[in-house]
């Protein structure tokens, strides 16, 4: 029992004597400035702004391959990095500047190809994954695919 009290007293004495230094006096001003700059950069998001979010190819014959270039600008405060772009189906293929850094104010292009599949009014969505505040943006293509013989067959 005596050893238990002595052990508790020793740990308590160690605890109280080790905390006598003022912690705020150990903080370096330069480290505070560096942390503030880092935190400000984290809060600066890229913003992906497309000149147009939807393009209509109009009437096309079934199987006709068409493509359109979507132009965009990084209108945010941070560097833009597009990590992925996917379509709702394999008939629509986006080509984009993957993992390239696009500085604020700079522009880029995304090519979207459509193979003319389907029939009637067709709308396809491309989801662009990037380091924006939302994390993803969407663009669309539309076409009226006319019935008839498939241009890619034969």
């Amino acid at each position: 029992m005596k050893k238990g009290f002595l052990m508790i007293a020793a740990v308590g004495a160690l605890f109280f004597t080790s905390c006598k230094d003022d912690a705020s006096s150990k903080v370096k001003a330069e480290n505070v400035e560096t942390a503030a700059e880092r935190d400000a950069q984290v809060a600066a998001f890229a913003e992906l702004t497309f000149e147009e979010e939807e393009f209509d190819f109009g009437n096309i014959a079934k199987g006709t391959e068409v493509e359109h270039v979507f132009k965009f600008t990084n209108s945010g405060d941070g560097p833009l990095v597009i990590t992925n772009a996917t379509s709702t189906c394999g008939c629509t293929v986006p080509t984009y500047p993957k993992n390239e850094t696009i500085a604020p104010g700079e522009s880029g292009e995304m090519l979207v190809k459509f193979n003319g599949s389907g029939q009637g009014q067709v709308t396809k969505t491309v989801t662009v994954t990037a380091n924006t505040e939302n994390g993803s943006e969407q663009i669309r293509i539309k076409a009226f695919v006319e019935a008839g013989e498939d241009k890619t067959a034969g």
Side-chain angles (χ1 to χ4, degrees):
M1 185 79 153
K2 245 185 191 181
K3 287 184 181 180
F5 284 122
L6 283 174
M7 184 65 97
I8 291 173
V11 170
L14 187 66
F15 176 74
F16 287 113
T17 59
S18 66
C19 294
K20 68 180 178 181
D21 291 337
D22 182 20
S24 63
S25 67
K26 295 180 182 180
V27 176
K28 295 181 181 177
E30 62 194 47
N31 291 345
V32 172
E33 290 172 18
T34 302
E37 288 175 19
R38 181 194 65 227
D39 292 346
Q41 288 176 356
V42 169
F45 284 102
E47 188 172 330
L48 183 57
T49 305
F50 284 94
E51 286 183 5
E52 57 187 341
E53 294 180 5
E54 184 173 280
F55 182 78
D56 189 348
F57 289 108
N59 291 8
I60 62 172
K62 185 175 183 91
T64 302
E65 293 184 5
V66 291
E67 58 185 46
H68 180 71
V69 175
F70 286 90
K71 295 181 180 183
F72 62 86
T73 302
N74 177 4
S75 56
D77 298 324
L80 172 68
V81 179
I82 298 173
T83 57
N84 199 10
T86 56
S87 169
T88 50
C89 80
C91 62
T92 306
V93 180
T95 304
Y96 58 97
K98 185 173 185 169
N99 295 325
E100 292 180 19
T101 301
I102 299 166
E106 287 187 2
S107 297
E109 296 180 344
M110 178 172 298
L111 175 67
V112 178
K113 295 180 182 181
F114 174 60
N115 71 5
S117 65
Q119 188 170 335
Q121 186 64 47
V122 177
T123 302
K124 302 296 177 184
T125 301
V126 175
T127 301
V128 181
T129 306
N131 62 330
T132 59
E133 190 168 7
N134 293 338
S136 68
E137 310 296 330
Q138 292 185 335
I139 53 176
R140 285 167 298 289
I141 58 168
K142 292 179 3 177
F144 186 86
V145 181
E146 297 172 347
E149 188 177 321
D150 191 336
K151 299 286 185 188
T152 59

